[in-house]
Amino acid sequence: MDFAEVDRILEQSPPDALNRAVSTVFRRLLANILLEPENPKYHVVREENKFIRDTLKPLSSNVIEALFTGIGFKRTQNANSEVIYVFTGSSENIKEADCFLSHLEDRIEKGQGKEAEMHFVSPEAKRNKEREERRQQILQQIHRDAEKRQGETTGSEPPTPISAFYPDDYTLVENLIEKSRQTLLNTGRVRNFLFEGRHFTLRRMVHGRVYICKEGCGTDFLEAHWHLFTGKNLMYSYVAHLSPDASTMMHLGVEHGYQYNSLPGTKNFRRTVHFSAKRINEANGSLEYIEHPDRPSETCIYCGKPFSELFL
C-alpha cells in the first residue's frame, strides 16, 4: 500500500465526500468481488453510472482514479469508446485493497475524532445523557420483568429466571446466521469490522438484548455480536441490530476497544484495559459518540465472556 498516495488523496479531498465515496462506492465494489469473484458483471464499472458519478462528483479526477487503482480497477475504454473501470486484480489482491480502504477510513476517522474532542460537553449535558441511558436500561428491565411474570405459573415452585442470554433466542435463528453475515458484509463500512471478525453470534431479542438502542428495535429484531482482533493484544467488540428476516442492518451499536497490557512496570500490567467506546454513523462515517474509559476490565461488555478465553 502506498501511504504517500493515501496522503495525497486526503489532502485533495473534502473529508465527508471522501468518506461517503469510500463507504458507498468503493467498499461496495470490493464487497461484490469478494462475495462473487467469478461474476463478470462486478468486474466492470461504467464511469457514467449515475450513482457513482453523483457520489464521486465532489472529488477530483486524480483522486477518483487513485481510489479505483487502489482497489485493483484500471481505467480504460470499451468497444463503444465509453470510459470504464475494469478489475485487473486477483483474489490475492483483495486483502491489500481492503487494507488500502481501511487505512483511508482510519485516517478520516482520526481527523473527525480530533475535531469531535475539541467540542466541549457541558456537565449538565453529560448528566442528561447518563440519565437517559439509565432510563432506557430501567425500561428494558421492566419489559423483561413483565415477560417473566407473564410466564409464571400459579404452582408453588418459583419460576425459572429468564437469562439475557436465553438459549432459544440463539438456536431459533441458527438458519439466519449466514444470511445475517452476508447482509453485514454488504453494508458499507461494517464489512471492514466483520471481514476478519471472530466469535460471531446471532439471537432474536425476545428475552432481552445486550445493547439498548435509541432506534427502538422491537423484540422480533435480531442482534449480532462479534469480536475483531487487530494487532498485538488488541480486541474490538461489536454489536449490530438487523431486521427480523436478517435482510437489512438497522444500525451498529457502540464499538468497545480493549487491550491487554503486557508491558512490565506500567499501570494495569497483565490486565485488559477498556480504552475506548465509540459509535460511528455507518451511513456517512461520522463520529456520533466517543469516550475513553481507560479502566481495567475482565469481560466483554456485550457477551460477558472473560478475556482470558477470548484472547486465546
Side-chain angles (χ1 to χ4, degrees), residues 103-121:
H103 186 62
L104 261 178
E105 290 167 335
D106 288 343
R107 291 284 300 277
I108 297 169
E109 184 179 311
K110 285 178 182 177
Q112 291 173 330
K114 289 179 181 178
E115 183 178 346
E117 288 176 352
M118 292 175 63
H119 295 287
F120 174 74
V121 179

Side-chain angles (χ1 to χ4, degrees), residues 7-263:
D7 290 337
R8 283 192 291 271
I9 291 172
L10 290 167
E11 289 171 1
Q12 299 174 23
S13 309
D16 289 342
L18 178 60
N19 201 31
R20 186 163 54 253
V22 170
S23 62
T24 62
V25 174
F26 296 98
R27 274 292 177 197
R28 188 172 299 176
L29 292 174
L30 197 59
N32 286 338
I33 293 175
L34 175 71
L35 296 171
E36 297 187 53
E38 304 303 323
N39 193 333
K41 77 175 184 178
Y42 295 134
H43 288 228
V44 179
V45 180
R46 293 172 50 249
E47 187 179 55
E48 288 305 306
N49 176 288
K50 186 178 186 307
F51 175 78
I52 292 178
R53 186 185 67 233
D54 292 346
T55 305
L56 304 185
K57 189 175 181 180
L59 305 179
S60 70
S61 58
N62 289 337
V63 167
I64 293 171
E65 187 160 355
L67 289 168
F68 273 108
T69 301
I71 64 169
F73 281 80
K74 182 179 179 181
R75 191 173 188 268
T76 184
Q77 291 183 339
N78 60 17
N80 299 322
S81 299
E82 183 182 25
V83 177
I84 58 175
Y85 288 92
V86 179
F87 181 69
T88 58
S90 63
S91 57
E92 288 76 18
N93 301 132
I94 292 178
K95 189 167 185 179
E96 184 177 343
D98 180 70
C99 291
F100 169 73
L101 294 181
S102 296
H103 186 62
L104 261 178
E105 290 167 335
D106 288 343
R107 291 284 300 277
I108 297 169
E109 184 179 311
K110 285 178 182 177
Q112 291 173 330
K114 289 179 181 178
E115 183 178 346
E117 288 176 352
M118 292 175 63
H119 295 287
F120 174 74
V121 179
S122 69
E124 183 180 359
K126 188 173 182 180
R127 285 194 298 271
N128 289 339
K129 179 177 178 296
E130 291 172 349
R131 280 197 294 268
E132 177 60 19
E133 289 177 349
R134 180 57 183 159
R135 186 180 74 86
Q136 292 294 334
Q137 291 173 352
I138 292 171
L139 289 174
Q140 185 64 32
Q141 186 61 51
I142 291 172
H143 176 70
R144 287 197 295 266
D145 290 344
E147 288 183 332
K148 183 171 69 174
R149 287 195 299 272
Q150 187 176 2
E152 289 178 353
T153 64
T154 56
S156 58
E157 293 186 3
T160 302
I162 296 176
S163 167
F165 301 101
Y166 194 69
D168 284 355
D169 288 352
Y170 294 87
T171 56
L172 293 176
V173 294
E174 287 179 350
N175 62 313
L176 293 175
I177 289 178
E178 187 56 33
K179 183 177 180 180
S180 66
R181 284 180 59 88
Q182 294 299 321
T183 296
L184 293 171
L185 285 170
N186 277 314
T187 307
R189 294 169 54 87
V190 181
R191 179 192 167 279
N192 188 37
F193 308 141
L194 181 60
F195 184 49
E196 294 184 343
R198 294 166 56 189
H199 313 134
F200 185 88
T201 61
L202 183 73
R203 58 102 162 262
R204 199 172 297 281
M205 301 187 291
V206 175
H207 297 96
R209 63 192 74 193
V210 295
Y211 180 69
I212 304 171
C213 64
K214 62 182 181 180
E215 288 80 2
C217 296
T219 56
D220 58 334
F221 282 64
L222 303 173
E223 186 170 69
H225 168 52
W226 68 94
H227 304 113
L228 176 66
F229 294 84
T230 62
K232 187 177 181 181
N233 300 332
L234 274 170
M235 188 194 88
Y236 292 90
S237 183
Y238 295 96
V239 70
H241 287 172
L242 296 94
S243 60
D245 63 353
S247 64
T248 306
M249 190 193 82
M250 311 311 295
H251 61 85
L252 274 175
V254 174
E255 171 202 279
H256 292 273
Y258 303 93
Q259 183 171 28
Y260 178 75
N261 182 5
S262 58
L263 190 61

